Amino acid sequence: MPHMQKLKSSILAALPLAAALTVAGCSAPAPSPAASPGAARTTSALAGAKKATTAQLNALSSARSYLEMSGFSRAGLIKQLSSSAGDGYSKADATWAADHTGADWNEQAVRSGQSYLDMMGFSRAGLIKQLSSPAGDGYTKAQATYAAKKLGL
């Protein structure tokens, strides 16, 4: 599975540019919270964001951009946001952002799992291992198991 990590790393390397373009206003307007499945979570996340620092709001914008492009675990998103090879936010700001995205981490695991299945075959155990590995996606075992079940494995 190292080639899967290399592919994901290549994709992630391009994401800071996309996030920067989003922050700079070069993307389509975001859908209204009522139009998205996690509307209640998103609305409460926005309410919590009103007392946030500029760094936290920037990290939140980057986090949302990442989640629009690919499935991420909470741990994987924090790692991407706080990595010096990624966005370089402080771990505290990255954690705050991940916790305020309104993301459904189970559904993120399903998205990640589907991406893996689109590229190659996996057994149930293999997909759960890939999704829950700290060297892989970093989902919890429960999230990875949820994804495998939703994906029919």
Side-chain angles (χ1 to χ4, degrees):
M1 314 277 168
H3 62 285
M4 297 299 293
Q5 277 308 111
K6 186 174 182 179
L7 176 64
K8 192 163 188 176
S9 294
S10 297
I11 293 168
L12 294 178
L15 291 178
L17 174 60
L21 291 173
T22 300
V23 170
C26 298
S27 67
S32 68
S36 61
R41 282 191 310 274
T42 302
T43 302
S44 65
L46 290 174
K50 290 181 181 174
K51 298 177 184 174
T53 66
T54 301
Q56 288 171 328
L57 291 174
N58 288 341
L60 180 58
S61 177
S62 294
R64 288 184 175 150
S65 293
Y66 286 124
L67 292 173
E68 286 176 12
M69 290 184 254
S70 180
F72 275 87
S73 66
R74 179 180 179 274
L77 184 58
I78 292 168
K79 184 176 180 180
Q80 177 64 27
L81 291 169
S82 62
S83 167
S84 59
D87 292 79
Y89 292 105
S90 72
K91 186 150 187 175
D93 288 341
T95 300
W96 184 92
D99 290 343
H100 286 82
T101 60
D104 179 334
W105 303 115
N106 282 332
E107 289 305 317
Q108 290 295 315
V110 172
R111 286 180 66 196
S112 294
Q114 185 63 60
S115 293
Y116 284 119
L117 292 175
D118 287 346
M119 288 186 263
M120 64 189 319
F122 276 87
S123 67
R124 175 181 172 81
L127 184 63
I128 291 170
K129 184 176 180 180
Q130 178 65 31
L131 290 172
S132 62
S133 166
D137 290 82
Y139 290 99
T140 66
K141 181 95 174 202
Q143 291 162 347
T145 301
Y146 174 88
K149 182 176 181 180
K150 286 286 275 195
L151 294 167
L153 296 178

